[in-house]
């Protein structure tokens, strides 16, 4: 049970303006890794013919998002998110330029260190903490909106990159996109990313929420560890279609432009449905939303094993986007629901490091299994197994929450005063 104490709301129209700007910044910044995915076969052909090489570069970028989020989340807490975002935009530009050098190590360092750790890592996790402080009534919807940045990027950029790579080559595409990133993101961050408002709390309540002894009757860090591990296992299958769908379609004789369009359908559907999942999470809570989304994801992942024709793959891709879209922001909402706000600056980036590592493992594993077996079927089967483990872990937490464990580790939560 949660005891609710009314406090004034921090939400204003400015909150949604800031959230929209954050969405635009993330939609641009998450576009950078998609160039490697769209040009995967071309890059592989130039670097020994193994698809695991560019797939590993994308995996390093995901690891960079996570590890950079932990480090830059700590920095952003002290110097402000504006500075980390401006720096990140410049680093993405540098990383894309380095990736065009032609050597494998340049691709790895450019994607992993500059685009991942110093670039998107300085934006993604710090933005989750930052935006959660602008909202208290519709926090789930706001988190769903900004977390859609990666899907907006996936919906918009793949068809554009497919044409750009075909016309000018993947190197020129990376160079020009890096310049666009810096030219747009730096002024947006300088103009709009001001410090978030402070939520006033009733006198005498800080000690009650600063360090709870139990969450759902378990040690807080045990609950958090289970959530983080579950995030890894749900993101392994989440990454596979996103990283390999264009190449998978090409293997089946489907045109490259149609494969890129299929990826856009997947991520465009994810963007739209993520707003629905945000609305759901505001009403049923974070953990319940994670469980529902994970169940939908495993169903769609299973369908990839049995679908080979183009129309069927478009349908399955749309279903996959509908299923997995709400999972990550629901995890973030659950962290804010279960743990004190003062711990958000390290718990949220640490969780996103785990989920980013899962994305990295999934993207790399699919490439490695393809290189070994010559087909993506074993990769999809491995993804289904990982998803099943995630369902078991989240199911255990939901059962614990509903069975009364929360009553033994009661926390005080704060809801805004409702005005007539």
């Amino acid at each position: 049970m949660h005891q609710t104490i009314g406090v004034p709301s921090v939400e204003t129209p400015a909150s949604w303006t800031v959230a929209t700007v954050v969405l635009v910044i993330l939609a641009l910044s998450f576009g950078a890794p998609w160039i490697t995915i769209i040009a995967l076969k071309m890059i592989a052909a130039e670097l020994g013919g193994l698809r695991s090489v560019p797939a590993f570069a994308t995996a390093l970028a995901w690891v960079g998002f996570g590890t950079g989020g932990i480090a830059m989340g700590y920095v952003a807490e002290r110097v402000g998110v504006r500075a980390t975002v401006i720096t990140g935009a410049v680093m993405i530009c540098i990383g894309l330029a380095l990736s065009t050098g032609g050597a494998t190590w340049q691709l790895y360092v450019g994607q992993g260190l500059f685009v991942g750790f110093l670039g998107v890592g300085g934006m993604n996790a710090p933005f989750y903490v930052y935006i959660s402080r602008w909202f208290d009534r519709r926090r789930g919807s706001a988190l769903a909106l900004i977390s859609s940045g990666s899907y907006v990027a996936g919906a918009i950029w793949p068809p554009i990159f497919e044409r750009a790579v075909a016309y000018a080559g993947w190197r020129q595409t990376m160079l020009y996109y890096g310049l666009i990133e810096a030219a747009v993101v730096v002024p947006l961050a300088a103009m709009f990313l001001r410090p978030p408002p402070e939520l006033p709390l009733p006198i005498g309540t800080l000690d009650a929420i600063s360090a709870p002894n139990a969450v759902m009757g378990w040690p807080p860090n045990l609950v958090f560890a289970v959530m983080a591990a579950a995030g890894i296992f749900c993101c392994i299958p989440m990454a596979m279609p996103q990283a390999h769908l264009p190449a998978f379609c090409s293997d089946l004789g489907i045109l490259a432009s149609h494969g890129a369009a299929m990826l856009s359908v997947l991520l465009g559907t994810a963007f739209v449905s993520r707003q629905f999942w945000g609305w759901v999470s505001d009403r049923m809570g974070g953990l319940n939303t994670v469980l529902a989304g994970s169940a939908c994801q495993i169903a769609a992942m299973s369908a990839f094993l049995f679908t080979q024709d183009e129309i069927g793959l478009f349908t399955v891709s749309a279903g996959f986007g509908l299923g997995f879209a709400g999972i990550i922001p629901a995890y973030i909402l659950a962290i804010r629901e279960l743990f004190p706000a003062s711990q958000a600056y390290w718990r949220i980036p640490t969780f996103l490091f785990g989920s980013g590592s899962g994305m990295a493992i999934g993207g790399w594993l699919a490439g490695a299994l393809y290189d070994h077996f010559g087909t993506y079927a074993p990769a999809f089967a491995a993804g289904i197994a990982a998803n099943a483990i995630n369902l078991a872990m989240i199911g255990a937490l939901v059962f614990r929450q509903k069975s009364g464990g929360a009553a033994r580790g009661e926390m005080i939560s704060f809801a805004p005063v409702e005005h007539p």
Side-chain angles (χ1 to χ4, degrees):
M1 297 291 292
H2 285 68
Q3 177 184 349
T4 302
I5 299 175
V7 296
S9 174
V10 299
E11 287 186 34
T12 66
S15 301
W16 290 105
T17 299
V18 172
T20 302
V21 170
V22 167
L23 173 65
V24 172
I25 291 174
L26 289 175
L28 278 167
S29 301
F30 272 108
W34 286 109
I35 304 174
T36 304
I37 293 172
I38 293 301
L40 185 144
K41 293 181 74 171
M42 294 183 184
I43 297 173
E46 294 185 25
L47 298 175
L50 294 176
R51 296 186 188 183
S52 55
V53 173
F56 187 63
T58 304
L60 288 175
W62 279 106
V63 172
F65 300 163
T67 55
I70 296 174
M72 301 305 285
Y74 180 86
V75 172
E77 193 73 6
R78 282 147 183 80
V79 304
V81 74
R82 177 186 293 167
T84 64
V85 170
I86 290 174
T87 301
V90 175
M91 292 300 103
I92 289 173
C93 183
I94 293 173
L96 289 175
L98 179 61
S99 298
T100 65
T104 299
W105 73 266
Q106 291 174 309
L107 183 66
Y108 287 168
V109 173
Q111 296 292 308
L113 178 60
F114 287 96
V115 173
F117 186 93
L118 297 172
V120 179
M123 302 178 186
N124 191 40
F127 271 151
Y128 278 101
V129 179
Y130 176 70
I131 288 299
S132 73
R133 291 172 175 167
W134 280 92
F135 292 87
D136 45 31
R137 292 178 177 171
R138 291 166 290 181
R139 182 178 290 150
S141 297
L143 291 172
L145 178 67
I146 69 160
S147 65
S148 300
S150 60
Y151 302 137
V152 174
I156 293 175
W157 296 116
I160 297 174
F161 289 156
E162 190 273 330
R163 291 180 178 273
V165 168
Y167 176 76
W170 63 271
R171 288 183 173 85
Q172 289 298 109
T173 302
M174 284 188 176
L175 288 172
Y176 284 118
Y177 192 78
L179 294 174
I180 292 171
E181 166 76 18
V184 175
V185 172
V186 170
L188 281 178
M191 291 171 60
F192 290 100
L193 300 184
R194 61 183 185 274
E198 296 292 335
L199 177 64
L201 297 177
I203 296 175
T205 60
L206 286 176
D207 291 339
I209 65 165
S210 59
N213 293 322
V215 173
M216 299 187 292
W218 286 350
N221 287 339
L222 173 61
V223 174
F224 181 70
V226 173
M227 291 177 64
I232 294 173
F233 283 106
C234 82
C235 287
I236 289 174
M238 192 181 295
M240 289 178 174
Q242 295 183 62
H244 291 271
L245 189 55
F248 177 55
C249 291
S250 177
D251 291 343
L252 296 175
I254 298 172
L255 293 176
S257 58
H258 291 190
M262 199 176 296
L263 188 59
S264 292
V265 167
L266 187 156
L267 294 164
T269 305
F271 169 71
V272 174
S273 64
R274 178 158 280 191
Q275 313 320 304
F276 165 76
W277 285 113
W279 178 85
V280 168
S281 66
D282 279 333
R283 285 152 180 80
M284 64 186 290
L287 285 179
N288 289 321
T289 305
V290 171
L291 185 65
S294 182
C296 293
Q297 177 176 272
I298 196 171
M301 194 71 193
S302 300
F304 274 113
L305 271 176
F306 305 104
T307 308
Q308 301 288 305
D309 64 283
E310 185 172 345
I311 295 177
L313 283 173
F314 266 108
T315 304
V316 173
S317 296
F320 189 82
L322 286 171
F324 81 88
I327 296 176
I328 297 302
Y331 274 117
I332 304 304
L333 180 62
I335 291 171
R336 288 304 312 269
E337 290 171 341
L338 297 173
F339 302 99
S342 61
Q343 299 176 3
Y345 83 94
W346 71 266
R347 288 198 187 273
I348 291 176
T350 302
F351 171 81
L352 290 174
F353 167 69
S355 63
S357 298
M359 295 292 291
I361 293 169
W364 168 80
L365 181 63
L369 289 174
Y370 177 89
D371 288 340
H372 183 75
F373 292 101
T375 175
Y376 280 111
F380 292 151
I384 292 167
N387 206 143
I389 295 172
N390 164 264
L391 274 173
M393 298 176 79
I394 294 300
L397 290 179
V398 170
F399 177 78
R400 181 71 178 177
Q401 190 176 47
K402 291 183 176 180
S403 66
R408 293 186 291 274
E410 184 172 332
M411 290 178 56
I412 298 177
S413 65
F414 296 90
V417 175
E418 296 294 340
H419 300 287

